[in-house]
Amino acid sequence: MKMYETLARELEQHVMSGMLKAGDKVPSVRQLSQQRDISITTVLKAYSLLESRGVIESRPQSGYFVRKATLAGHAAAMPAPMPPTLRPHPVASNVEISQLVLRTLKTISRHDAVPLGSPYPDPTPFPLVRLSHLANNIAKKSSGWGVLNDLPPGNIDLIRQIAGRYFLNGLLVDPAEVIITVGATEALNLCLQAAARPGDTIAVESPTYYAILHAIERMGMRAIEIPTSGTSGMDVDYLESILESGNIAACMVMPNFHNPLGIVMPEANKKKLVEIMTRAKKPIIENAVYNELYYSDTPPSSLKQYDTEGYVLHCSSFSKTLSSAFRIGWAMPGRYREKVENLKFVNTLSTSAIPQMAIAEYLSQGGYDQHLRKIRKFYQQQAKIITHVVRRFFPEACIISEPAGGYLLWVQLPPHIDAMRLYNEALERKITIGPGTIFSNTGKFRNCIRLNYSYSWSKEIQSAIVTLGKIISHYK
C-alpha cells in the first residue's frame, strides 16, 4: 500500500473500533501532517479516499468529521478497504461554471483595483512598442491583404519560427503539424472539439485552469476531476485506475507551471501519463502556455516529447510571454491535425495575418531569448517577495505553493475561510484576488485563493496583502 492508503486504513480502523465515533471531528490536515511527519498532500489524499468510501465528510469552514450514516448499521457491514484499482469512480458532472467565472473576471479586471486576481501578466515588460511598430509597417505594405491570405494553418514564417523554438528547447517539431490559432484558448477548444464529442467525459486536474472547464462546458461535455497535488501534479495512478471503465474520452492537463498551483509534473509522471493514455488510445490535450517561463537553467520537457503515436495535442501561445493583445497561439494536434485544421476553418476561418507577421518578424530579428531571460528572473524575484510577505501577514496555518515558473501563487487558507467572502470584502477595498472556487466544477477549494505577482512590487501591492491578512484574521 502507498502511504496515504495505509493512513486511510488506520483511520478507518479507528472508526470501526469506536475510537472515532459518528460526528467526531478527525484531526486537521495540518495537525496530522505534523504528528506523523508526513506531507500535507499525503493526508489530503487519505482524507479524499475516506470521503469516497463514505467514512468521513468535509464540512465547509469546519474540517473533516466521521459520517453519521457510516455507523448507522453494524460495524461488520463496513466494507473492507478497497485496493487502488477498485476505488470508487469519482463522479463525472456537467460543467456549469462560466457565469461564476465571468462575474469574477469582470470585477478582477477593474482598472482602479490592485490586480492580485488578474490571470494576465503585467504587460509593462513586454516589447509592445516594437511589436506595434512592426505591425504598422506591415499594415502599410499590405493594403491589399485579404482574408484568403490568412487561411489555416497560418503564416508560414511564424510557423517556422515556432518550430525553431521547440528545436532549441530539445523537441524536433514538423512545421507541417503547427496550426496558428487565436490564442491558446482557441487552440484548446479546437483540440477538445476534435478529440471528443458532446456528452463525453473529460478527465481534468483538480484544481484546474478555468478556461479548460469553459471549453468542456461549451462543448456540452462532462468533467471528472482527478486529484492534483502541489508536488507531483495529477494523480496519474488514480487516472489509470479509472481509465479501465472506458468512460473517459480524453484528458486535459497543464504539466508545466500549472495554473493555479505553479508546479511542474515530475518526468516519470509525464512519461507514465502519455504511456497509459496512448495504451488506452485516448488523447491528451496539453496546455503549455507557461512553458517558456521557467526559473531553472533549462526548460521543462513537454508531454509532446514522450508522444510516439500522436495522441498528445499540444497547445500554447505568445500571450504570457510576448503580447496578450495580439492573441496569437498555436496547436500541434498530432494524429488529429487534419481535423483541427478543418475545425479552425469552420469555426473562425482564419487568424489575423498582421499580428502573425509582426511576431514572426520580431522573432527573426533576435532578442526574444534576452527578453525571456529578463522576465524569468523578474518573476522569480517577485515570487520570493510575495511568498515572504504572505507568510508574514497571513495566518500561520496557510499553505503556500512554491512556483517553479510562471507568475501565480496558490494559497490554501484555514478551512473556515470562505474565499468568495474574502473576494467580495477585498473588492470593496479595491483589491482583487482569484477565488479558489473558479478552479473546480465541484465546489472544491472554497478556502483557496490565487495571487498574481507579475506586477512590479509596490507599496500598494504590499498594503493590499497586509489588508488581506487583516481581513482573514478577523474571520472566525
Side-chain angles (χ1 to χ4, degrees):
M1 281 189 178
K2 295 181 180 178
M3 187 178 294
Y4 76 91
E5 293 168 339
T6 302
L7 178 60
R9 186 172 186 175
E10 288 181 21
L11 290 170
E12 190 169 3
Q13 287 173 345
H14 285 331
V15 173
M16 295 288 294
S17 66
M19 292 176 64
L20 284 172
K21 299 179 181 179
D24 282 355
K25 185 175 183 179
V26 299
S28 71
V29 173
R30 191 173 187 84
Q31 180 184 1
L32 195 56
S33 170
Q34 292 172 343
Q35 288 176 345
R36 296 296 190 92
D37 192 25
I38 55 179
S39 71
I40 294 287
T41 302
T42 298
V43 181
L44 286 172
K45 289 174 74 172
Y47 281 6
S48 177
L49 183 57
L50 289 172
E51 274 193 289
S52 70
R53 294 176 181 168
V55 179
I56 64 174
E57 62 184 2
S58 173
R59 298 180 188 174
Q61 304 180 16
S62 299
Y64 291 90
F65 294 79
V66 178
R67 283 190 64 184
K68 294 181 180 179
T70 298
L71 303 180
H74 296 292
M78 184 72 108
M82 302 174 71
T85 54
L86 298 178
R87 280 177 289 188
H89 295 352
V91 177
S93 58
N94 293 321
V95 180
E96 298 176 350
I97 198 172
S98 60
Q99 290 185 350
L100 172 62
V101 174
L102 180 59
R103 186 167 69 250
T104 54
L105 287 183
K106 279 184 176 180
T107 52
I108 282 171
S109 63
R110 280 177 47 170
H111 295 295
D112 63 339
V114 180
L116 294 174
S118 174
Y120 307 110
D122 178 8
T124 305
F126 292 170
L128 300 179
V129 173
R130 185 175 170 190
L131 285 170
S132 298
H133 181 71
L134 289 171
N136 288 335
N137 285 343
I138 291 168
K140 291 176 183 176
K141 298 175 183 178
S142 308
S143 57
W145 201 269
V147 70
L148 292 179
N149 300 101
D150 305 342
L151 293 177
N155 181 271
I156 188 60
D157 292 329
L158 178 59
I159 288 173
R160 287 170 178 161
Q161 289 291 337
I162 291 170
R165 290 212 59 78
Y166 280 101
F167 179 75
L168 290 175
N169 290 332
L171 176 62
L172 185 61
V173 169
D174 182 355
E177 187 183 350
V178 180
I179 299 170
I180 304 300
T181 61
V182 182
T185 300
E186 186 187 34
L188 290 168
N189 276 272
L190 292 173
C191 288
L192 179 60
Q193 192 175 357
R197 297 176 296 179
D200 280 348
T201 297
I202 311 300
V204 300
E205 296 153 309
S206 183
T208 190
Y209 179 40
Y210 50 77
I212 286 176
L213 295 174
H214 279 171
I216 294 171
E217 180 178 1
R218 192 176 75 83
M219 304 291 176
M221 299 173 188
R222 295 157 62 81
I224 193 165
E225 298 190 15
I226 308 299
T228 302
S229 78
T231 55
S232 56
M234 176 183 276
D235 188 337
V236 179
D237 292 331
Y238 190 33
L239 174 64
E240 183 178 24
S241 72
I242 64 175
L243 266 179
E244 297 175 3
S245 67
N247 293 328
I248 295 176
C251 177
M252 299 185 79
V253 295
M254 186 182 288
N256 294 321
F257 320 125
H258 178 274
N259 181 357
L261 297 178
I263 55 105
V264 176
M265 182 183 286
E267 291 302 306
N269 287 11
K270 289 179 181 177
K271 186 176 181 181
K272 183 171 183 178
L273 175 59
V274 176
E275 286 176 349
I276 65 173
M277 294 297 286
T278 300
R279 191 160 56 245
K281 301 188 183 302
K282 305 285 187 181
I284 310 171
I285 300 170
E286 177 183 22
N287 188 344
V289 292
Y290 297 100
N291 276 21
E292 293 269 34
L293 297 178
Y294 51 90
Y295 298 163
S296 61
D297 295 330
T298 56
S301 66
S302 67
L303 299 182
K304 195 72 174 173
Q305 287 172 259
Y306 296 108
D307 185 25
T308 58
E309 297 186 32
Y311 282 102
V312 175
L313 294 83
H314 180 96
C315 304
S316 192
S317 80
F318 291 108
S319 298
K320 304 297 187 289
T321 59
L322 199 55
S323 171
S324 57
F326 276 35
R327 302 290 296 155
I328 298 296
W330 62 92
M332 297 191 299
R335 62 173 55 221
Y336 298 88
R337 190 217 173 276
E338 184 176 348
K339 192 169 184 180
V340 169
E341 182 179 73
N342 184 61
L343 287 168
K344 166 64 182 174
F345 176 73
V346 171
N347 288 344
T348 55
L349 187 62
S350 64
T351 301
S352 181
I354 292 177
Q356 291 187 64
M357 297 168 70
I359 291 179
E361 180 66 20
Y362 171 83
L363 295 175
S364 69
Q365 291 178 1
Y368 185 43
D369 284 299
Q370 182 180 8
H371 160 71
L372 286 174
R373 284 193 293 270
K374 286 181 179 178
I375 60 174
R376 286 177 196 138
K377 184 177 180 181
F378 175 68
Y379 288 165
Q380 187 174 23
Q381 291 172 339
Q382 291 284 103
K384 292 177 181 177
I385 294 171
I386 194 171
T387 299
H388 173 76
V389 176
V390 168
R391 282 181 177 153
R392 180 179 176 186
F393 293 102
F394 278 35
E396 187 177 349
C398 292
I399 301 171
I400 306 169
S401 66
E402 298 180 4
Y407 51 84
L408 302 168
L409 190 74
W410 182 250
V411 183
Q412 182 179 318
L413 305 170
H416 67 280
I417 304 297
D418 183 347
M420 283 305 298
R421 178 184 173 190
L422 176 61
Y423 159 82
N424 287 318
E425 293 194 31
L427 199 60
E428 292 176 359
R429 294 164 175 79
K430 296 185 178 180
I431 303 168
T432 66
I433 60 173
T437 46
I438 65 176
F439 300 96
S440 170
N441 186 54
T442 56
K444 298 177 183 176
F445 314 110
R446 293 183 179 276
N447 64 319
C448 299
I449 60 173
R450 187 194 67 184
L451 302 176
N452 181 325
Y453 55 82
S454 69
Y455 291 79
S456 294
W457 197 256
S458 65
K459 291 181 179 179
E460 290 76 16
I461 291 177
Q462 177 154 327
S463 177
I465 292 176
V466 172
T467 299
L468 288 173
K470 288 179 180 178
I471 297 172
I472 294 168
S473 67
H474 286 98
Y475 289 163
K476 302 298 182 183

